[in-house]
Amino acid sequence: MNPVRLTGRAALLMTRGIGAVTLFTLRGLFRLRPFYRRAFAAQLVQIGWLSLPVVGLTALFTGAALALQIHSGGARFQASDVVPAIVAIGMVRELGPVLGGLMVAARVASSIAAEIGTMKVTEQIDALVTLSTDPMRWLVTPRLWAAMLTVPVLVGVGDIIGIMGGWLVGTQSLGFNSTAYLANTSAYLERWDVVSGLLKGVVFGLIVAVCGCWFGIHSGRGAAGVGRATKSAVVAAAVGILAANFVLTGLFFE
Amino acid sequence: MIQIHGLHKSFGGKPVLSGVDLAVGQGESLCVIGQSGTGKSVLLKCILGLTTPEAGRILWRGSPLDQATRPDFLARFGMLFQGAALFDSLTVWQNVAFRLRQRMPDVQARAIAIEKLGRVGLGPETADLMPAELSGGMAKRAGLARAIADDPAVIFFDEPTTGLDPIRARRINGLIRGIVTETGATAITITHDMDSVRAIGDRVALLQDGRIAWEGPVPAMDRAAPLAGFLGNTPSL
Ligand SMILES: Nc1ncnc2c1ncn2[C@@H]1O[C@H](COP(=O)(O)OP(=O)(O)OP(=O)(O)O)[C@@H](O)[C@H]1O
Ligand SMILES: [Mg+2]
């Protein structure tokens, strides 16, 4: 086939795909009546509370490793005392949201896609329709809002734990004074550093939930279909987060 | 009550329904039989709007069933799915009371759910189990309880007795017949079980090669040539 036509077709397919996902997202976000409160509360627990351990551990080790890196890297130009500031800025602006988002993608996008996909192949979604309940409102809306609200909170908690990880390494093995370390952190950290990271969290949460719901609802038939849906949801969420992070970082800091 | 005219549906170029005509009257119990894979479940899904047919009209109380009228239809409707399709995330009673809980307090909805579970032969101890803890036959009966929980005017049963032992099957047949005669509900039952047809059906339709190959009252089916294969050796899944 001729390359121009091939490119054209690919572009068309992609545009159509983006349009469909956008429409799906808007429907999921704004079909609020009736709002299923019980389903929403369950998702706050599932997506937010139960992700805390994994996000916390990720942040702890990342902050600790970052402190070691900056210390040894900074030594090359006699700047190892910037450790507290760099750890804080690096965590809060970039690593907290991105790594937290990726961990949530692995944990939540997969489980949403698998759950909704299984519901689809076992006709539970059809059953919802026969019980006069819109699957969008019952399944998708609570998940989108729960993820958008809890992921920034997870990012915030991760920021604090990550900074603490850096502080632990800094004071226990790099010879920093505890009060000086914390004072240095708060002196260099600006409000926008934190807020921008939390905003990233909102967007990443939305990406994770949309990917999980979209691939779940469009799951193929049978166990193989659900397996494919789960895999696609995680891959799409992870790539989506990294791409969105690039765009948002450009928007926020350029 | 429900009329179907010239319904066509295919999946990926493979025709499943090719011109189905069928009608069910108010308070009538229609059984649809046919070999596995002839599109019986697909026929139900077209009526429900879960899949869109390529051609054909579906009328409910004389007006076409579409986006605008379907909510009214569904509000008066109950369905038992072939695989029960209970919601995994809810307990058995919450499944049965799914519709009821949207308009009454939980205590009241639960009491009705337990009563309906009793009618299908499930004791109150099953109410708080999760669907994953039920056997296939129990799940089927819980699905049946959910279908009849809100006293619907139209009920679809997709293979209500498949996977049940003969005693339970007889009891479920009796229950379905009872619901139709007591409440005047309209029932469409898909089944492979000729005993079911005799127990619950007023009329029978045979779906074959995408069309209704034979249709008539239950007592006439013994003399109907197209049904000979079904009557001779009751096909099992
Ligand atoms: N969503 C779908 N996509 C593709 N093909 C489908 C789909 N749903 C049904 N089919 C096909 O349509 C045909 C009829 O399926 P259907 O489930 O209606 O059979 P059935 O008559 O209910 O059989 P059984 O008695 O085994 O339940 C089958 O060949 C099936 O493969
Ligand atoms: Mg079927």
Side-chain angles (χ1 to χ4, degrees):
Chain A
M1 203 192 268
N2 104 37
V4 176
R5 189 184 273 182
L6 209 66
T7 320
R9 178 170 298 181
L12 208 69
L13 270 178
M14 209 163 100
T15 324
R16 199 180 293 164
I18 291 172
V21 174
T22 310
L23 209 65
F24 178 83
T25 307
L26 292 176
R27 282 206 194 115
L29 281 178
F30 299 114
R31 291 204 176 170
L32 290 169
R33 233 163 293 172
F35 185 74
Y36 294 99
R37 253 172 287 151
R38 274 184 275 227
F40 176 66
Q43 290 307 319
L44 287 180
V45 174
Q46 274 297 327
I47 298 175
W49 182 246
L50 297 179
S51 296
L52 260 179
V54 73
V55 170
L57 281 173
T58 307
L60 182 70
F61 289 120
T62 308
L66 195 58
L68 290 177
Q69 287 282 16
I70 304 298
H71 185 75
S72 77
R76 286 181 205 161
F77 34 95
Q78 283 80 43
S80 1
D81 50 340
V82 297
V83 167
I86 305 273
V87 166
I89 292 175
M91 265 329 281
V92 163
R93 276 192 181 194
E94 184 75 14
L95 293 172
V98 171
L99 292 179
L102 289 177
M103 294 316 279
V104 174
R107 209 190 146 265
V108 173
S110 57
S111 81
I112 292 179
E115 185 181 2
I116 297 184
T118 305
M119 289 187 70
K120 169 143 190 231
V121 303
T122 55
E123 300 186 308
Q124 291 176 51
I125 300 213
D126 291 350
L128 271 181
V129 174
T130 68
L131 291 163
S132 308
T133 301
D134 177 13
M136 260 339 245
R137 289 179 175 89
W138 203 65
L139 292 171
V140 177
T141 307
R143 282 170 174 77
L144 298 196
W145 283 105
M148 280 210 308
L149 293 175
T150 55
V151 174
V153 176
L154 287 170
V155 167
V157 174
D159 288 349
I160 296 169
I161 296 179
I163 290 174
M164 285 302 138
W167 168 83
L168 261 178
V169 168
T171 54
Q172 299 306 307
S173 78
L174 304 180
F176 278 88
N177 169 285
S178 172
T179 7
Y181 189 104
L182 293 178
N184 196 330
T185 298
S186 63
Y188 283 99
L189 207 56
E190 287 171 16
R191 175 175 301 169
W192 179 236
D193 295 329
V194 178
V195 173
S196 70
L198 300 183
L199 287 176
K200 282 181 176 178
V202 176
V203 176
F204 298 168
L206 182 65
I207 290 174
V208 165
V210 165
C211 289
C213 292
W214 169 269
F215 286 102
I217 290 224
H218 295 92
S219 159
R221 308 175 82 198
V226 177
R228 269 195 305 276
T230 309
K231 176 195 67 187
S232 308
V234 176
V235 171
V239 173
I241 284 174
L242 294 172
N245 179 57
F246 172 66
V247 173
L248 290 177
T249 306
L251 270 179
F252 290 160
F253 299 106
E254 286 306 308
Chain B
M1 190 108 174
I2 298 174
Q3 287 162 294
I4 299 166
H5 298 294
L7 202 65
H8 285 258
K9 176 73 194 176
S10 53
F11 285 106
K14 185 179 66 112
V16 175
L17 303 178
S18 38
V20 173
D21 296 298
L22 203 59
V24 212
Q26 165 100 45
E28 189 177 36
S29 171
L30 173 75
C31 289
V32 179
I33 57 175
Q35 282 172 17
S36 191
T38 45
K40 303 184 297 299
S41 296
V42 170
L43 176 62
L44 288 192
K45 286 186 184 168
C46 287
I47 301 177
L48 290 177
L50 294 172
T51 52
T52 322
E54 283 104 38
R57 287 199 311 149
I58 301 169
L59 303 179
W60 181 56
R61 292 181 169 161
S63 48
L65 207 47
D66 56 25
Q67 298 286 336
T69 55
R70 199 165 266 121
D72 277 343
F73 170 69
L74 289 177
R76 322 247 2 246
F77 173 85
M79 170 151 182
L80 167 65
F81 281 83
Q82 193 167 350
L86 298 173
F87 304 123
D88 296 318
S89 57
L90 303 178
T91 63
V92 169
W93 83 263
Q94 288 169 339
N95 264 282
V96 175
F98 191 87
R99 223 193 249 281
L100 304 172
R101 287 172 89 204
Q102 291 170 8
R103 59 155 203 271
M104 60 175 76
D106 272 6
V107 196
Q108 208 179 336
R110 188 185 154 95
I112 299 178
I114 287 177
E115 187 250 319
K116 301 289 176 184
L117 284 169
R119 290 190 73 176
V120 298
L122 292 172
E125 70 283 356
T126 49
D128 292 306
L129 298 179
M130 298 305 283
E133 299 172 277
L134 302 180
S135 75
M138 286 164 85
K140 195 90 189 209
R141 283 183 282 151
L144 183 58
R146 184 175 69 184
I148 61 171
D150 201 18
D151 301 322
V154 184
I155 322 178
F156 289 175
F157 301 102
D158 198 349
E159 306 197 7
T161 55
T162 307
L164 299 185
D165 57 85
I167 298 164
R168 292 261 192 254
R170 229 168 291 144
R171 196 162 154 194
I172 294 299
N173 288 337
L175 176 70
I176 293 177
R177 183 72 251 182
I179 290 165
V180 173
T181 32
E182 277 165 36
T183 66
T186 304
I188 299 183
T189 309
I190 287 176
T191 183
H192 295 280
D193 175 357
M194 297 315 285
D195 293 335
S196 276
V197 175
R198 277 180 234 282
I200 59 186
D202 297 319
R203 279 192 314 127
V204 198
L206 170 68
L207 187 64
Q208 202 167 44
D209 305 324
R211 293 163 172 279
I212 300 297
W214 187 86
E215 193 189 344
V218 169
M221 70 183 187
D222 294 316
R223 283 169 278 115
L227 268 60
F230 276 88
L231 297 167
N233 51 339
T234 309
S236 53
L237 273 181

